[in-house]
């Protein structure tokens, strides 16, 4: 009797195992491709755009492509870790700025981050859609097994200079204690203007401005608003000296595992979502300009600023200092994209 019970138990285990394997096989062959979409976005607009993109992907694929969203730092709040995780295949899709390109092609990205190298959002988009952008994406893929989507990028508003005195030309930068991010191209650009450049962590910037550790900074209007810098800065200069963006990156193994039809669905969704984002960014910037002036900031418009004095102080100096570092002819190629 005991032997029969043991035999029955063994048979139940075998049947259970077969059932479980069958269930797993059914799940893996269900035709639904789930994938993680990761971010650590301070921009509410980028997060909203990615939600729209995810919804369109699921709708247009009839639910066979299912993005799982972790857009607000749920899988990590350090950009370096997030980029590494994508390269290692821990998730399939990442929205981030240019950090991966900084790693893959640092000689290009120092030039890319020079002040006044791009004239507009359109100029920046043309760069990434050009052969130069394709070449950089190929190097990124080779080094980090990551595909960068370049057909449409999420454009950020241009960067403005703020200070506690009015600045009309580069001569006004002398003695200014200017905070910048810790980025070689940005630091070099503003050092060339005669400013005393001090990299300060983003989270410490408001306090540094309030306490006089620095008395000027530069950022997109959305960041200026987010940090409430209008409370500790008197003047807003419409220098529009730098244009940057966010990208969608894919784990290369994931992207290449998709059919051409699946890739097309995802690509179209990104194009539509980022087109919406870019329209919203520009509308939002107009609202920020009005808000900051209502809060007491004085706007120094672009036509009041001697922009050429800044360009003449920055561009020739950086090109000469980095003539053995910047790729040959890269500056001229970028400038040739201007209409």
């Amino acid at each position: 009797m005991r032997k029969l019970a043991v035999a029955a138990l063994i048979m139940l285990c075998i049947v259970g195992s077969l059932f479980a394997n069958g269930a797993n096989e059914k799940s893996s062959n269900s035709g639904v491709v789930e994938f993680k979409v990761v971010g650590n976005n301070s921009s509410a607009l980028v997060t909203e755009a990615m939600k729209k993109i995810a919804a369109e992907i699921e709708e247009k694929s009839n639910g066979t492509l299912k993005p799982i969203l972790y857009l607000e730092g749920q899988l990590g709040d350090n950009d370096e870790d997030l980029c590494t995780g994508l390269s290692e295949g821990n998730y399939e899709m990442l929205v981030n700025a240019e950090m991966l390109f900084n790693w893959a092609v640092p000689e290009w990205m120092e030039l890319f981050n020079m002040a006044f190298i791009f004239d507009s959002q359109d100029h920046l988009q043309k760069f990434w859609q050009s052969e130069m952008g394709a070449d950089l994406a190929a190097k990124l893929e080779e080094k980090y097994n990551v595909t960068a989507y370049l057909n449409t990028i999420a454009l950020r508003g241009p960067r403005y200079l703020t200070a506690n005195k009015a600045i009309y030309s580069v001569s006004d930068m002398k003695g200014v204690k200017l905070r910048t991010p810790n980025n070689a191209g940005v630091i070099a650009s503003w050092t060339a203007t005669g400013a005393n450049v001090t990299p300060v962590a983003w989270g410490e910037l408001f306090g540094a401005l309030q306490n006089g550790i620095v008395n000027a900074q530069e950022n997109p209007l959305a960041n200026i608003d987010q940090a409430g810098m209008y409370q500790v800065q008197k003047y807003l200069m419409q220098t529009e000296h730098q244009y940057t963006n966010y990208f969608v990156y894919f784990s290369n193994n994931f992207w290449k595992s998709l059919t051409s039809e699946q890739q097309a669905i995802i690509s179209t969704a990104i194009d539509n979502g980022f087109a919406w984002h870019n329209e919203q960014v520009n509308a939002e910037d107009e609202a920020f300009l009005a808000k900051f002036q209502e809060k007491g900031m004085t706007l120094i418009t672009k036509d009041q600023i001697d922009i050429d004095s800044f360009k003449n102080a920055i561009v020739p100096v950086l090109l000469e200092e980095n003539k053995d570092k910047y790729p040959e002819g890269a500056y001229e190629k970028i400038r040739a994209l201007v209409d």
Side-chain angles (χ1 to χ4, degrees):
M1 191 73 170
R2 189 174 179 181
K3 289 182 180 179
L4 287 173
V6 171
L9 181 60
I10 292 171
M11 183 60 68
L12 283 172
C13 290
I14 292 171
V15 170
S17 176
L18 290 171
F19 179 83
N21 288 340
N24 289 337
E25 185 176 345
K26 182 178 179 181
S27 174
S28 64
N29 293 330
S30 65
V32 176
V33 178
E34 292 188 351
F35 56 97
K36 299 184 184 72
V37 182
V38 179
N40 176 37
N41 298 320
S42 59
S43 168
L45 276 179
V46 170
T47 296
E48 188 63 27
M50 294 307 298
K51 289 178 179 177
K52 288 178 178 292
I53 289 165
E56 182 173 333
I57 289 170
E58 191 158 1
E59 177 189 352
K60 297 299 184 183
S61 69
N62 295 317
T64 60
L65 293 171
K66 188 172 181 61
I68 311 298
L69 304 183
Y70 302 92
L71 295 172
E72 297 173 287
Q74 296 96 326
L75 298 189
D77 58 5
N78 181 292
D79 284 344
E80 290 188 7
D81 292 342
L82 291 176
C83 291
T84 299
L86 181 72
S87 179
E88 292 176 348
N90 297 338
Y91 27 84
E92 291 74 34
M93 189 169 166
L94 173 69
V95 55
N96 201 263
E98 70 269 12
M99 180 170 286
L100 277 160
F101 281 107
N102 287 338
W103 293 352
V105 284
E107 69 285 357
W108 268 94
M109 298 310 290
E110 279 198 37
L111 174 64
F112 177 89
N113 285 304
M114 179 197 293
F116 299 104
I117 192 166
F118 294 105
D119 286 2
S120 65
Q121 292 172 327
D122 287 343
H123 188 194
L124 177 63
Q125 178 75 79
K126 283 181 180 180
F127 170 78
W128 286 114
Q129 290 177 339
S130 71
E131 290 184 8
M132 288 179 282
D135 288 344
L136 300 190
K139 291 177 182 176
L140 176 63
E141 181 178 341
E142 178 184 346
K143 290 185 179 181
Y144 292 104
N145 199 34
V146 165
T147 295
Y149 187 77
L150 301 181
N151 191 59
T152 311
I153 54 179
L155 297 162
R156 303 176 74 181
R159 297 177 83 93
Y160 282 58
L161 177 67
T162 72
N164 283 328
K165 72 171 189 176
I167 294 173
Y168 295 97
S169 76
V170 75
S171 61
D172 296 325
M173 294 301 298
K174 186 175 181 180
V176 171
K177 295 182 288 186
L178 176 70
R179 179 270 179 185
T180 72
N182 191 16
N183 177 294
V186 175
I187 292 170
S189 294
W190 290 102
T191 299
T193 69
N196 297 325
V197 176
T198 304
V200 175
W202 170 251
E204 300 170 7
L205 177 53
F206 185 92
L209 290 166
Q210 190 173 39
N211 297 325
I213 296 170
V214 292
N215 53 25
Q217 66 84 48
E218 52 82 50
N219 255 298
L221 296 178
N223 291 31
I224 294 169
D225 181 66
Q226 182 190 33
M229 291 178 198
Y230 47 81
Q231 301 173 59
V232 288
Q233 294 277 265
K234 295 179 181 178
Y235 294 91
L236 177 69
M237 274 59 67
Q238 192 183 16
T239 47
E240 298 181 346
H241 53 270
Q242 190 177 12
Y243 291 85
T244 56
N245 63 280
Y246 296 98
F247 302 93
V248 165
Y249 300 96
F250 298 100
S251 164
N252 204 36
N253 293 342
F254 165 71
W255 183 246
K256 292 195 171 181
S257 73
L258 299 174
T259 66
S260 58
E261 290 80 9
Q262 290 171 325
Q263 290 181 351
I265 288 170
I266 294 173
S267 297
T268 300
I270 295 171
D271 292 342
N272 292 337
F274 280 175
W276 172 86
H277 171 274
N278 296 341
E279 289 178 2
Q280 297 302 309
V281 162
N282 292 327
E284 191 178 64
D285 272 7
E286 291 183 16
F288 286 142
L289 287 176
K291 174 182 177 179
F292 297 160
Q293 291 175 85
E294 289 173 5
K295 294 291 185 179
M297 293 190 86
T298 298
L299 174 65
I300 310 297
T301 59
K302 201 165 188 176
D303 60 353
Q304 296 175 279
I305 303 170
D306 184 358
I307 296 296
D308 284 341
S309 72
F310 283 89
K311 292 180 180 178
N312 293 337
I314 294 169
V315 175
V317 171
L318 267 63
L319 290 178
E320 177 61 26
E321 287 180 352
N322 297 282
K323 60 185 177 183
D324 296 326
K325 180 188 292 185
Y326 295 160
E328 186 176 355
Y331 176 79
E332 291 75 15
K333 290 177 183 177
I334 291 173
R335 295 305 306 166
L337 296 173
V338 179
D339 287 335

